[in-house]
Amino acid sequence: MAWLNNLKIVWKVAIIVATLGMVSFISIGFAAVRMSRADDGYSNLVNRVDAATVAVARGSRDVESFVSLVYQLVTETSAEGSSRLLARNTEEKKMYEARYAEALRLMPEKAKELDRLHVKAQGMFDVCAQVVQAVASADTSDDTAKAVELLKSQCAPLAAAVLDEQTRVVDDLVAYAKTAAINVSAETRSGIHLAVALVTLGLALSLAGAM
């Protein structure tokens, strides 16, 4: 830096200011890029991963309600009550399918896990529909007893399997969200550290130029 001794003070100040300005500009630009990436990461976490997890979790409630309604259908004796329960049963299935479609739209990278869950759910719906049909066509107490046995032996176990699968999918999505949050947090800290390092370097260069 000996060559700086031959410059007038105004040029020295100009070099220091220019150095600080350049480093500050680079630091601000770098920080802006990193903050933008962090914002995208958190938006992805909230708008996609969390929303998909909630959709799958709420799907469990739909399955439980669906099976509960099938049980109620078995014991319902009035035509009006049966009609009402059937309508609610159909609605629960539609809600489940809508939640599955929403989760798949939000998390296409988890299509394998979601498809496996969907196949089990559709199998459960199909078998439970047979129970509903048996209840609807039951004319005697023996027919009703057979429908109850079909419900206990086939529909209920499949529903339990679907709920277990949903729990696994939710756990997987929660782990995915946790990993994404850790990565975003690490990138944010890295960006802050590097920005501070750039500013420190700029100050060091400016001080060296002033000496």
Side-chain angles (χ1 to χ4, degrees):
M1 296 295 179
W3 60 274
L4 287 173
N5 295 328
N6 299 322
L7 295 178
K8 294 181 179 181
I9 188 65
V10 65
W11 289 109
K12 291 183 179 181
V13 171
I15 291 175
I16 293 171
V17 171
T19 302
L20 279 174
M22 181 178 65
V23 173
S24 297
F25 178 78
I26 293 174
S27 299
I28 293 172
F30 178 80
V33 171
R34 282 300 183 96
M35 290 303 101
S36 177
R37 291 174 62 180
D39 179 66
D40 291 341
Y42 280 115
S43 294
N44 170 69
L45 190 61
V46 173
N47 297 329
R48 283 200 330 118
V49 183
D50 285 357
T53 303
V54 170
V56 174
R58 287 178 175 172
S60 298
R61 184 182 63 188
D62 296 329
V63 171
E64 291 173 345
S65 296
F66 179 89
V67 176
S68 174
L69 289 167
V70 175
Y71 273 99
Q72 293 177 55
L73 276 167
V74 172
T75 58
E76 180 59 48
T77 57
S78 68
E80 181 182 355
S82 296
S83 178
R84 176 176 52 82
L85 291 172
L86 280 171
R88 288 180 56 194
N89 190 268
T90 301
E91 185 63 26
E92 290 295 341
K93 180 181 178 182
K94 289 180 179 179
M95 288 178 64
Y96 175 86
E97 292 174 343
R99 297 191 201 283
Y100 161 77
E102 178 68 4
L104 186 59
R105 181 187 69 81
L106 291 169
M107 298 285 291
E109 63 269 37
K110 292 295 181 180
K112 181 179 178 181
E113 292 84 353
L114 291 171
D115 284 345
R116 184 170 61 243
L117 170 62
H118 189 56
V119 168
K120 288 188 176 183
Q122 288 301 317
M124 183 269 296
F125 287 134
D126 291 342
V127 171
C128 290
Q130 297 176 19
V131 176
V132 173
Q133 182 62 36
V135 171
S137 60
D139 294 325
T140 65
S141 58
D142 288 340
D143 291 337
T144 301
K146 290 178 181 179
V148 172
E149 181 59 31
L150 185 62
L151 171 60
K152 292 180 178 179
S153 64
Q154 297 187 32
C155 180
L158 287 175
V162 171
L163 292 175
D164 288 342
E165 186 65 32
Q166 282 189 289
T167 299
R168 283 191 287 271
V169 173
V170 169
D171 289 343
D172 180 68
L173 291 175
V174 169
Y176 184 94
K178 183 178 180 180
T179 300
I182 291 173
N183 291 339
V184 171
S185 180
E187 185 172 349
T188 301
R189 288 196 301 270
S190 174
I192 292 173
H193 293 161
L194 193 49
V196 170
L198 287 172
V199 172
T200 302
L201 177 61
L203 288 174
L205 291 174
S206 299
L207 290 174
M211 295 177 63

